[in-house]
Amino acid sequence: MLSQRFATKYVIKQFGKLISPFSTQIKIDDILTTYLKLDNNTIETFHEYKKKSKIIKISKNRLIRNCITLRDLDIRLEKKEYLLECLMLDPKLLKNRILVLKEVGIDSVDLFHIRRFSILMYKSVNQFKKLHGISSSQSIMRILFSNIGIKVDIPDQKMLKKETTMRIGSYYQLCVLYHKTYHMKLHDELFYKQKKMKYLSLTEMSRMLDVLKHKCQFDIEFLKQHLYLLNVDVDNVEQFLNEFKYLKINNKNMFEIIRIYPRILLRDVSETKELLQIFQSFEIPHRSLYTIVNGLKMKKDTFLRRYTAIENNLELAIWLKHPRIMFMTYFYKLVINRLTYLKHLNLANNANINTYLSNKEFFSRFLEGNTYVAAGKHLAYILRKELGHDKVHVLSSIQRHPYWRYVSLTQISETIQYLKEHFSIDNICKNIQIILYPMSTIDNTLNLLYKECSLQDGYNYTPTQYLALCLYKLEQKHHFSGDGVWQTKMSVFNPNVLEDGYELHELVDHINHGYNEVINSNGAAWLEHLLQY
């Protein structure tokens, strides 16, 4: 269970949309003024149609983080025409670009440098030095490691010779490789073949390594197996650890969870917090830590959209309180594809949650068999969901019916929901086998019973008795064989309930007095068996 409650500024509205209070231009202007000290004339330029349409798409969290980064790292803002594009960058990417530029010798970074970062990295080392006033006798490698406080025992001539044939980006990558191999002891060539990790700031990498070693208590062997963690946003990780330091999921604290599922550190803190809050609000069941971690892989908008779609789907909605509903949401596309196919084959009502989430072999066997057999655990889930946890014991009574395994769970759920609108749960449980019958047939039979057995005609039956008589009539036509559970267009109502001479009111009176005498060998004995609760 989740042991920590969360509050969120977002309001969950109908159809699963998240409406943020951050939606006006005034608040955007306030952020730009507060963090970057921009004047009114500069802010007015953001009100132009094209720029305004872009800036309002930036999330509040991203805008604030990027403004703080530009302010704290002393970025020159003279070329304000590039400001919007810089603010639109991912916060980690923006900070990484600035730090890399500072590490390779650009003392005063401006917006132009950030905007043209990729182009600058393709310059040769000699061109890069000329553009930024770096002496040709100075080694970029020496500058880089001195900026992060590391001493390198390599002669300058050797370093300068290597620089003459390389681009600045490739040379920076070589320096990172050297640092990881000889200082971090975490060398892995495959790690550097991934393009997205090409320009990873040594400052951020060293800081991230310190957090992983000392706060997360990861040893070198663990880090070697999860080298991608060095590329995680260290600010996000520190915020993650602070935000969830008291969180427990299934009796495991966050540090234990991270060791089992380290990729959870890749998740955005605010996104994770809101998802956990949504899981609590919707009372989504979960049995394992793995269930929650899988749910956290989704974006909140994606989760809400999928959950709402499942809730509004007749065949899938019955599984909303099932422990595997998180997996159904996570594998939503697979579930919908299978449901569409099953509808085409007219088998949708015969499927259970395992059918939608099973492997291909099991699903193929289900299709080839063209039969449906319900599992007791799935029916027990329906009973818990609709009648309550204390009513699951009635499952044994349901299983006495010869065809209980072959009735659609969707039909059972619909029937229970219909009966709950007209009868108490206790009354339903006393005639529990009635939930196996089609809702429309029950409705027709009850309406006819109400007409024939009204108070005006001298009848005064309890709801339990009406359900018992309804159940009796549903099976009488089929000679109490259990065939009444099958969908049929024929009415099961027959004015003569008993063909052996008993009148309807006499039968009910006989039952009310608790007689155990068997009225006949078929109908009455069968009805008495149903009324034994």
Side-chain angles (χ1 to χ4, degrees):
M1 296 292 292
L2 298 176
S3 62
Q4 181 177 341
R5 304 296 298 182
F6 298 96
T8 176
K9 294 181 180 179
Y10 288 86
V11 180
I12 302 173
K13 289 196 172 183
Q14 195 175 10
F15 308 118
K17 293 182 179 178
L18 287 176
I19 307 299
S20 170
F22 180 74
S23 58
T24 64
Q25 186 66 40
I26 296 176
K27 292 190 176 182
I28 296 175
D29 296 349
D30 289 343
I31 291 173
L32 295 175
T33 304
T34 302
Y35 293 99
L36 297 181
K37 308 298 181 185
L38 297 181
D39 55 47
N40 291 332
N41 292 332
T42 303
I43 291 177
E44 281 296 322
T45 62
F46 287 100
H47 288 246
E48 297 175 9
Y49 177 74
K50 289 185 178 180
K51 289 186 177 181
K52 184 177 180 180
S53 63
K54 290 181 179 180
I55 198 169
I56 60 175
K57 293 180 181 179
I58 306 174
S59 69
K60 178 182 179 181
N61 180 57
R62 173 174 293 194
L63 185 59
I64 291 177
R65 284 189 64 184
N66 284 344
C67 286
I68 292 174
T69 298
L70 294 175
R71 181 195 66 189
D72 292 350
L73 295 179
D74 297 322
I75 304 304
R76 292 189 287 114
L77 304 178
E78 287 84 358
K79 298 184 179 181
K80 295 182 176 62
E81 62 270 26
Y82 301 111
L83 178 58
L84 177 58
E85 294 181 67
C86 293
L87 292 175
M88 293 175 66
L89 293 174
D90 179 81
K92 176 180 176 294
L93 179 61
L94 176 66
K95 188 173 185 179
N96 199 67
R97 285 187 177 186
I98 296 170
L99 291 175
V100 169
L101 291 170
K102 285 179 174 288
E103 288 167 6
V104 294
I106 302 179
D107 296 325
S108 182
V109 179
D110 63 24
L111 298 173
F112 176 76
H113 292 131
I114 301 171
R115 171 67 180 80
R116 292 174 56 83
F117 178 83
S118 299
I119 297 174
L120 287 175
M121 290 296 105
Y122 272 91
K123 300 288 185 184
S124 68
V125 175
N126 291 334
Q127 283 181 309
F128 185 84
K129 287 181 177 180
K130 289 179 182 178
L131 283 172
H132 301 97
I134 300 172
S135 172
S136 59
S137 61
Q138 282 186 289
S139 168
I140 293 293
M141 189 175 191
R142 183 79 65 191
I143 294 171
L144 192 157
F145 283 109
S146 64
N147 283 335
I148 62 173
I150 294 177
K151 185 178 180 180
V152 180
D153 296 324
I154 301 176
D156 285 347
Q157 291 300 322
K158 188 175 182 179
M159 288 189 284
L160 289 170
K161 184 178 180 181
K162 193 71 175 178
E163 290 179 3
T164 57
T165 59
M166 299 186 73
R167 292 175 177 172
I168 185 66
S170 300
Y171 192 63
Y172 184 86
Q173 185 180 7
L174 182 65
C175 294
V176 174
L177 183 62
Y178 174 85
H179 180 58
K180 282 198 64 182
T181 303
Y182 295 101
H183 294 97
M184 292 185 172
K185 310 298 183 184
L186 292 172
H187 171 58
D188 180 12
E189 290 185 4
L190 292 177
F191 182 76
Y192 295 97
K193 291 183 179 180
Q194 301 182 42
K195 189 176 181 180
K196 65 180 180 181
M197 300 179 183
K198 190 171 184 179
Y199 304 119
L200 185 61
S201 164
L202 285 179
T203 304
E204 290 292 274
M205 187 190 296
S206 300
R207 187 175 157 216
M208 187 68 221
L209 182 62
D210 182 69
V211 170
L212 294 174
K213 279 185 173 181
H214 299 100
K215 291 189 177 181
C216 298
Q217 301 296 314
F218 292 159
D219 56 27
I220 292 296
E221 291 304 317
F222 184 89
L223 291 173
K224 284 181 178 179
Q225 296 174 10
H226 304 88
L227 284 170
Y228 60 86
L229 291 175
L230 292 179
N231 194 44
V232 178
D233 184 353
V234 63
D235 292 328
N236 187 73
V237 171
E238 289 190 323
Q239 185 184 354
F240 194 96
L241 296 176
N242 290 330
E243 188 73 43
F244 302 121
K245 60 183 176 182
Y246 299 117
L247 174 69
K248 281 194 174 183
I249 302 177
N250 288 19
N251 296 321
K252 292 188 181 296
N253 61 40
M254 184 50 66
F255 294 102
E256 293 173 312
I257 295 170
I258 292 172
R259 179 165 286 277
I260 300 171
Y261 301 105
R263 287 187 179 274
I264 198 173
L265 292 176
L266 298 171
R267 297 288 296 133
D268 179 73
V269 174
S270 58
E271 192 88 20
T272 301
K273 186 176 179 179
E274 287 179 353
L275 273 172
L276 289 172
Q277 190 271 337
I278 290 170
F279 296 163
Q280 289 178 337
S281 299
F282 289 1
E283 297 181 350
I284 294 177
H286 56 87
R287 288 180 178 172
S288 67
L289 177 62
Y290 181 66
T291 303
I292 291 293
V293 172
N294 265 283
L296 293 176
K297 291 179 182 178
M298 291 179 279
K299 296 286 186 181
K300 62 178 180 296
D301 292 338
T302 301
F303 173 80
L304 286 170
R305 184 174 62 253
R306 292 178 177 184
Y307 186 88
T308 305
I310 292 173
E311 187 177 32
N312 293 330
N313 187 291
L314 180 63
E315 291 82 9
L316 302 180
I318 63 173
W319 305 110
L320 281 178
K321 296 302 178 183
H322 194 277
R324 299 186 74 191
I325 184 60
M326 194 77 81
F327 290 109
M328 182 172 275
T329 309
Y330 184 70
F331 295 106
Y332 177 77
K333 293 182 180 179
L334 171 68
V335 171
I336 291 300
N337 287 339
R338 288 187 172 184
L339 175 61
T340 304
Y341 189 62
L342 291 173
K343 282 184 175 180
H344 179 72
L345 299 177
N346 199 27
L347 292 173
N349 286 337
N350 294 342
N352 56 49
I353 194 167
N354 188 51
T355 310
Y356 297 115
L357 298 175
S358 62
N359 57 35
K360 293 180 181 179
E361 290 74 16
F362 183 92
F363 187 67
S364 297
R365 290 201 302 270
F366 175 83
L367 297 177
E368 291 169 1
N370 199 26
T371 58
Y372 168 73
V373 178
K377 63 180 180 181
H378 292 135
L379 182 53
Y381 157 75
I382 298 293
L383 296 175
R384 281 194 298 269
K385 175 175 175 284
E386 299 294 345
L387 302 179
H389 288 266
D390 59 331
K391 303 298 182 183
V392 181
H393 65 275
V394 299
L395 178 62
S396 58
S397 297
I398 298 173
Q399 290 174 331
R400 294 173 189 167
H401 194 285
Y403 303 126
W404 75 272
R405 285 183 175 275
Y406 306 100
V407 181
S408 161
L409 293 174
T410 304
Q411 176 186 304
I412 291 175
S413 180
E414 289 177 349
T415 299
I416 295 177
Q417 290 172 13
Y418 163 78
L419 291 172
K420 283 165 62 178
E421 294 177 3
H422 306 282
F423 300 92
S424 69
I425 290 178
D426 286 337
N427 288 333
I428 297 171
C429 290
K430 290 176 181 178
N431 302 277
I432 193 60
Q433 288 191 356
I434 199 170
I435 69 173
L436 299 174
Y437 294 79
M439 178 183 66
S440 57
T441 309
I442 294 173
D443 185 63
N444 291 336
T445 305
L446 282 173
N447 287 334
L448 291 169
L449 274 173
Y450 292 148
K451 288 180 182 179
E452 182 168 298
C453 308
S454 63
L455 283 172
Q456 289 83 351
D457 296 327
Y459 297 99
N460 186 20
Y461 300 143
T462 64
T464 302
Q465 292 166 351
Y466 271 117
L467 278 181
L469 289 173
C470 178
L471 189 53
Y472 181 88
K473 281 182 168 293
L474 289 170
E475 276 300 328
Q476 183 194 19
K477 184 177 181 65
H478 303 282
H479 306 289
F480 309 99
S481 63
D483 288 335
V485 298
W486 311 123
Q487 292 277 4
T488 175
K489 295 181 180 179
M490 298 176 61
S491 173
V492 300
F493 190 83
N494 187 332
N496 297 318
V497 179
L498 295 174
E499 297 179 359
D500 56 4
Y502 271 84
E503 294 295 332
L504 184 62
H505 66 280
E506 293 176 339
L507 172 63
V508 175
D509 288 340
H510 197 79
I511 295 169
N512 285 344
H513 285 89
Y515 295 159
N516 292 322
E517 176 187 351
V518 177
I519 299 174
N520 59 38
S521 59
N522 290 314
W526 188 84
L527 181 59
E528 185 179 354
H529 167 70
L530 293 175
L531 292 174
Q532 64 183 335
Y533 265 98

